[in-house]
């Protein structure tokens, strides 16, 4: 067993015994010896027989179990050995960067012809979860991963106990290196730098550095037993089989398609948020809405599944639900398999499936877009039948007199009375929670799901008018700015907010919260000062008039008729306006009952002397069961027992790592990250300081938000320069708001990028070239 010493001495010791990788020749120089032994040191460097060298720090103040000080001291690379001045200058600069006279300077040949460079951790560096975590870059750079400049970053995650980690030759060798180093140092928590180099037509793995990971307050090393992953693997294989009424040969699951749970409730929601979303949307409501609007019936099929606490959408089920019910099963199955295969080949579209993968309605570009199916085994007759089915379905939805969305808007009006009745009733807390959930489903999320579908179709139709050249991008933006959405009303109300009208403002908007399903996120009326500052002056969101000439409207009438859309131009724009405004209005109204339900759950906790933090770990069904069942034990004890169980399970949720899209059951044990294509809003460029959403001073800054939740609308009153979200799709609420306000934004950058941007003090966002640069 080797003890940890300095960076240089660790490598020197390993050079004699390491079998799974090579250690470059090295020279260790004491800092204080530079003053009196320079010529001898230079000769030793020349004797390395290297044309170029790297001079690295090896301080006593870095690479210990208690403090890494990674990057605190200087390293200088790619130095020409034949330039004495350059070598001496590098030695002195590195020496001056370290505080102690007995610190060391490490000199090694500079690696060239690098195939893959990276950093490997024997556990998750943030919480010590039991995964090999490897970040690497194939650009040839020897510093892009460590300095954060990589544009070709590849990440691997592999559970420590699995032997099923892929056939990737690089990954196999890296894990072999990690395991050998763990054995040599008798230490489980390691940080390793490595490089694969092409030498004489063969690839050689080099170990460039090894150090212990700094002790972490959070340690989930024992929180994820391997058998939990084995059970998930078995369940996934079960899902892959043919299911009743489900077409398609292969199962695929994702955190962002369709009702995008990662955006709405987060990637690792606590049990209350997860169960609420299932109860009021993804267990049944979603399928009833699709069936009502003319799509295939998927009743009894839950859309979202919990994979050890992480919410995943059954994408095959989702694809089925976007097939018009009038299309026969043979063509439908062919279409579902086409969608599945296209998504597997293009995983970066996981948050854009209705833009890039499926045909869920008819728009002005549909005939042209469907031609791509000719190269996928569809004949002309099949394509025509798909086109006709989409057209028929779309006509039923956009009918301004009898369309489904118009009926759903009337249901939302009924919800207002239901909400008031529940609030003013003398029901018990349990009864109020039960009926709030039931009414929220019947008169809230069900009609909202329908109106949201109409709103999405409205946006597709509007965008397709731009694609065919009928509208310019500026005209489309002008139309969107002419809408009177709830978000715009909120922004204007905040612009005129005073102490005199504060109560009126909170009466209308007080139920909103940044995290609609999160009981731990305060409502606006529970923590007003967190969200708003009355003394801050903001500007009205201007409403722009949108008008088209009679000639232009007649031209649109001709286009609508040619495409078989049974609506005239004026009603067409009326539909788009009503659907888009209605989507926000319906969400606003049903969120009142949802927010009230969370408030009631908090009150129930108070009644039983259980904190909100603990109530967040309850399943909503733990509470709903108390409405119709009386148990021998006290309700409080039942709740406490369930909270304890769910807390234990939540540690597992925090520890597990899964890809955003799972198409192969072996990805449950080991996976490579997929490329991410975030959504850039506007064509603007900004360069500003960064801030988190809960910071006090946000003005003029780029704000980082985990999810694109409507509850974050208050940010638009803070005069922010722009924002970045971890999760969110091209049609998410925050994407639409940013577009309305012409505010630069990047939606859905993914976990890894988001964490990197959080650490940056300043960012540059160039939406036109689709770049985010850490400054």
């Amino acid at each position: 067993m080797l003890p940890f010493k300095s960076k240089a001495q660790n490598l020197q010791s390993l050079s004699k015994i390491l079998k799974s990788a090579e250690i470059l020749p090295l020279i260790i120089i004491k800092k204080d010896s530079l003053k009196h032994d320079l010529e001898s040191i230079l000769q030793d460097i020349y004797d390395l027989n290297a044309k170029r060298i790297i001079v690295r720090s090896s301080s006593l103040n870095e690479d210990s179990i208690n403090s890494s000080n990674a990057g605190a001291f200087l390293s200088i690379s790619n130095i020409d050995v034949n330039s004495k001045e350059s070598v001496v200058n590098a030695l002195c600069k590195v020496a001056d960067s370290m505080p102690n006279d007995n610190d060391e300077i490490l000199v090694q040949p500079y690696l060239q012809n690098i195939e893959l460079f990276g950093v490997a951790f024997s556990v998750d560096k943030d919480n010590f979860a039991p995964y090999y975590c490897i970040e690497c870059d194939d650009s040839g750079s020897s510093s892009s991963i460590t300095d954060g400049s990589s544009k070709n970053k590849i990440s691997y995650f592999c559970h420590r106990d699995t032997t099923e980690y892929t056939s990737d030759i690089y990954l196999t060798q890296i894990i072999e290196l990690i395991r050998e180093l763990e054995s040599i140092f008798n230490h489980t928590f390691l940080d390793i730098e490595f490089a694969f180099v092409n030498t004489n037509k063969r690839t050689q793995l080099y170990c460039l550095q090894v150090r212990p990971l700094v002790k972490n307050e959070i340690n989930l090393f024992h929180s994820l037993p391997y058998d939990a992953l084995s059970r998930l693997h078995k369940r996934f294989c079960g899902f892959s089989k043919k299911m009743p009424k489900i077409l398609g040969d292969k199962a695929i699951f994702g955190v962002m398609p369709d009702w995008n749970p990662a955006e709405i409730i987060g990637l690792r929601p606590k049990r209350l948020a997860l169960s609420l979303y299932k109860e009021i949307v993804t267990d049944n409501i979603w399928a009833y809405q699709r069936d009502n609007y003319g799509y295939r019936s998927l009743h009894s099929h839950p859309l979202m599944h919990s994979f050890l606490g992480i919410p995943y959408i059954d994408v095959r089920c989702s694809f089925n639900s976007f097939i018009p019910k009038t299309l026969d099963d043979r063509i439908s199955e062919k279409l579902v398999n086409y969608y599945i295969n296209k998504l597997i080949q293009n995983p970066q579209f996981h948050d854009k499936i209705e833009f890039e993968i499926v045909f869920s309605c008819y728009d002005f570009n549909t005939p042209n877009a469907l031609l791509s199916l000719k190269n996928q085994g569809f004949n002309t007759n099949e394509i025509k039948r798909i086109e006709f089915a989409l057209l028929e379905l779309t006509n039923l939805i956009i009918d301004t007199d009898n369309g489904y969305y118009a009926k759903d808007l009337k249901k939302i009006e009924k919800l207002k009375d239901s909400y008031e009745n529940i609030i003013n009733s003398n029901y018990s807390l349990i009864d109020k929670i039960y009926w709030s959930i039931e009414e929220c489903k019947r008169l809230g999320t069900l009609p909202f799901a329908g109106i949201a579908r109409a709103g999405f179709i409205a946006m597709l139709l509007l965008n397709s008018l731009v694609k065919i050249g009928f509208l310019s991008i500026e005209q489309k933006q002008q139309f969107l700015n002419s809408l009177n959405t709830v978000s715009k009303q909120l922004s204007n109300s905040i612009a005129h907010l005073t102490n005199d009208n504060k109560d009126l403002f909170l009466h209308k908007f007080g139920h909103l919260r940044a995290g609609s399903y999160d009981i731990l996120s305060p409502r606006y009326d529970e923590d007003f000062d967190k969200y708003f500052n009355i003394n801050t002056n903001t500007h009205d969101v201007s409403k722009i008039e949108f008008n088209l000439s009679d000639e232009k409207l007649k031209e649109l009438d001709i286009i609508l008729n040619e495409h078989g859309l049974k609506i005239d131009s004026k009603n067409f724009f009326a539909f788009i306006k009503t659907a888009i405004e209605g989507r926000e209005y319906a969400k606003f109204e049903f969120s009142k009952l949802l927010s009230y339900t969370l408030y009631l759950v908090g009150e129930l906790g108070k009644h039983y002397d259980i904190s909100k933090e603990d109530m967040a770990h309850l399943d909503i069904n733990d509470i709903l069961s108390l409405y119709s069942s009386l148990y021998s034990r006290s309700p409080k004890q039942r709740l406490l027992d369930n909270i304890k169980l769910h807390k234990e399970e939540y540690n597992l949720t925090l520890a597990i790592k899964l890809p955003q899209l799972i198409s192969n059951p072996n990805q449950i044990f080991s996976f490579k990250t997929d490329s991410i294509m975030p959504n850039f809003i506007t064509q603007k460029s900004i360069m500003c300081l960064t801030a988190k959403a809960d910071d006090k001073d946000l003005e003029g800054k780029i704000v980082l938000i985990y999810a694109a939740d409507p509850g974050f609308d208050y940010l638009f009153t803070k005069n922010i320069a722009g924002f970045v979200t971890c999760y969110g799709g091209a049609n998410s609420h925050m994407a639409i708001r940013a577009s309305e306000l012409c505010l630069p934004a990047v939606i859905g950058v993914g976990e890894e990028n988001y964490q990197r941007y959080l650490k940056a003090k300043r960012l540059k966002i160039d939406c036109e070239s689709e770049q985010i640069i850490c400054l």
Side-chain angles (χ1 to χ4, degrees), residues 239 251-254 302-305 312-319:
F239 285 134
I252 184 168
F253 286 81
L303 180 65
M304 186 178 77
H305 296 262
Y312 273 87
I313 294 296
D314 182 341
V315 183
R316 177 173 60 174
C317 193
S318 171
F319 285 162

Side-chain angles (χ1 to χ4, degrees), residues 12-269:
Q12 187 177 55
S13 300
L14 286 171
S15 66
K16 303 167 187 175
I17 58 175
L18 191 64
K19 297 176 181 177
S20 55
E22 293 289 326
I23 303 292
L24 287 165
L26 56 87
I27 297 169
I28 301 176
I29 305 162
K30 289 289 185 182
K31 175 180 171 179
D32 57 4
S33 68
L34 280 180
K35 301 172 185 176
H36 50 76
D37 204 12
L38 183 59
E39 290 304 320
S40 174
I41 290 169
L42 290 174
Q43 185 57 52
D44 289 341
I45 291 173
Y46 298 145
D47 289 343
L48 283 173
N49 293 321
K51 293 180 180 179
R52 310 191 82 79
I53 59 170
I54 181 170
V55 179
R56 307 169 68 188
S57 64
S58 179
S59 173
L60 299 176
N61 289 18
E62 61 182 334
D63 297 352
S64 72
I65 291 177
N66 297 314
S67 175
S68 74
N69 271 326
F73 309 114
L74 195 60
S75 289
I76 302 175
S77 62
N78 202 12
I79 304 161
D80 185 355
V81 172
N82 294 317
S83 172
K84 181 177 178 180
E85 180 183 354
S86 297
V87 173
V88 173
N89 188 42
L91 290 170
C92 292
K93 282 186 175 180
V94 172
D96 290 343
S97 74
M98 297 183 292
N100 310 305
D101 286 340
N102 58 341
D103 283 336
E104 299 164 344
I105 301 167
L106 171 63
V107 181
Q108 292 178 288
Y110 177 69
L111 280 179
Q112 299 184 65
N113 301 319
I114 294 175
E115 289 184 3
L116 195 74
F117 168 83
V119 176
F121 301 99
S122 58
V123 292
D124 184 303
K125 67 182 184 299
D126 296 319
N127 59 23
F128 282 27
Y131 282 89
Y132 297 125
C133 303
I134 299 156
E135 299 176 357
C136 44
D137 180 297
D138 59 5
S139 67
S141 168
S142 62
S143 61
S144 57
I145 291 295
T146 50
D147 67 16
S149 63
S150 174
K151 295 180 181 177
N152 303 289
K153 184 176 171 183
I154 306 163
S155 296
Y156 295 95
F157 300 95
C158 177
H159 192 276
R160 288 175 54 87
D161 294 335
T162 187
T163 56
E164 305 287 334
Y165 40 80
T166 82
S167 57
D168 189 295
I169 188 64
Y170 290 134
L171 181 59
T172 303
Q173 290 185 66
I174 295 166
I175 291 177
E176 185 181 346
L177 170 61
I178 296 171
R179 287 174 173 168
E180 184 182 2
L181 290 171
E182 286 181 349
S183 176
I184 288 172
F185 288 100
N186 192 28
H187 194 76
T188 308
F189 310 129
L190 298 177
D191 175 351
I192 300 156
E193 219 171 282
F194 66 87
F196 286 90
V197 177
N198 191 311
T199 57
N200 298 322
K201 297 185 179 180
R202 75 183 187 90
T203 300
Q204 177 62 55
L205 172 60
Y206 286 92
C207 176
L208 305 179
Q209 181 173 316
V210 58
R211 60 186 170 203
L213 276 170
V214 176
K215 288 181 179 178
N216 201 319
E217 290 182 8
I218 303 172
N219 190 328
L220 300 177
F221 188 72
H222 297 292
S223 297
L224 182 61
Y226 184 71
D227 67 329
L229 292 185
S230 297
R231 290 195 302 273
L232 177 55
H233 180 273
K234 184 177 180 180
R235 189 73 188 103
F236 188 95
C237 291
F239 285 134
S240 298
K241 297 174 184 176
K242 283 283 188 179
M243 295 285 180
K245 298 182 182 178
I246 297 290
L247 306 176
D249 298 333
K250 195 168 186 179
I252 184 168
F253 286 81
V255 299
M256 274 301 296
D258 210 335
W259 277 87
N260 39 37
E263 174 189 342
I264 303 300
I265 57 175
L267 197 63
R268 290 175 170 81

Side-chain angles (χ1 to χ4, degrees), residues 466-534:
V466 176
K467 281 185 181 178
I468 66 171
F470 178 81
L471 290 180
S472 66
I473 293 176
E474 291 74 21
Q475 285 176 310
K476 170 195 158 185
Q477 195 60 53
Q478 187 181 13
F479 174 80
L480 290 174
N481 288 339
S482 73
L483 301 179
N484 184 28
T485 61
V486 169
S487 297
K488 194 173 288 186
Q489 294 168 29
L490 172 62
S491 296
N492 285 332
S493 294
I494 294 169
H496 298 98
L497 192 57
T498 66
N499 284 317
D500 292 335
N501 62 21
K502 175 182 171 183
D503 289 344
L504 191 63
F505 170 84
L506 289 177
H507 178 73
K508 182 174 182 179
F509 298 106
H511 68 279
L512 296 175
R513 61 177 87 216
S516 301
Y517 292 78
D518 184 6
I519 192 173
L520 300 180
S521 178
R523 293 161 49 116
Y524 286 3
D525 58 12
E526 290 174 338
D527 196 349
F528 179 84
D529 292 336
K530 173 183 176 179
Y531 294 108
F532 307 109
N533 183 353
I534 288 179

Side-chain angles (χ1 to χ4, degrees), residues 432-631:
K432 280 190 174 184
I433 291 171
Y434 177 84
W435 286 111
S436 292
I437 294 282
E438 287 302 305
E439 292 297 270
C440 187
K441 289 188 291 186
R442 186 174 70 90
L443 296 174
T445 52
L446 180 57
F448 162 70
I451 299 163
R453 172 98 325 247
F456 187 85
I457 290 171
M459 282 302 300
L460 284 178
L461 286 165
L462 188 64
N463 288 335
S464 68
L465 283 179
V466 176
K467 281 185 181 178
I468 66 171
F470 178 81
L471 290 180
S472 66
I473 293 176
E474 291 74 21
Q475 285 176 310
K476 170 195 158 185
Q477 195 60 53
Q478 187 181 13
F479 174 80
L480 290 174
N481 288 339
S482 73
L483 301 179
N484 184 28
T485 61
V486 169
S487 297
K488 194 173 288 186
Q489 294 168 29
L490 172 62
S491 296
N492 285 332
S493 294
I494 294 169
H496 298 98
L497 192 57
T498 66
N499 284 317
D500 292 335
N501 62 21
K502 175 182 171 183
D503 289 344
L504 191 63
F505 170 84
L506 289 177
H507 178 73
K508 182 174 182 179
F509 298 106
H511 68 279
L512 296 175
R513 61 177 87 216
S516 301
Y517 292 78
D518 184 6
I519 192 173
L520 300 180
S521 178
R523 293 161 49 116
Y524 286 3
D525 58 12
E526 290 174 338
D527 196 349
F528 179 84
D529 292 336
K530 173 183 176 179
Y531 294 108
F532 307 109
N533 183 353
I534 288 179
N535 297 321
T536 300
N537 292 319
T538 57
H539 302 290
D540 282 2
V541 179
S542 57
K543 184 179 178 182
I544 299 172
E545 292 297 323
F546 174 81
N547 291 297
L548 289 178
S549 66
D550 290 342
E551 187 178 329
K552 196 72 173 172
L553 290 173
K554 286 178 182 177
E555 183 185 342
L556 180 56
D557 281 327
I558 293 171
I559 293 172
L560 289 164
N561 186 56
E562 288 175 345
H563 281 268
L565 288 166
K566 299 174 181 178
I567 192 169
D568 62 34
S569 56
K570 289 187 177 179
N571 280 320
F572 174 81
F573 278 110
F575 161 73
I576 295 179
K577 172 182 168 64
T578 303
I580 295 175
E581 290 178 349
R583 172 174 56 186
E584 278 201 32
Y585 169 69
K587 183 182 293 183
F588 179 77
E589 290 299 330
F590 94 72
S591 68
K592 288 181 182 177
L593 262 179
L594 172 59
S595 188
Y596 183 57
T597 300
L598 290 173
Y599 164 76
L600 291 173
V601 171
E603 291 299 298
L604 185 67
K606 283 183 185 178
H607 177 74
Y608 288 124
D609 196 25
I610 303 173
S611 69
K612 268 190 184 180
E613 286 72 19
D614 282 346
M615 294 298 283
H617 288 281
L618 269 178
D619 192 300
I620 190 62
N621 289 295
D622 296 334
I623 299 172
L624 295 180
S625 68
L626 299 176
Y627 175 79
S628 57
S629 301
L630 184 65
Y631 300 96

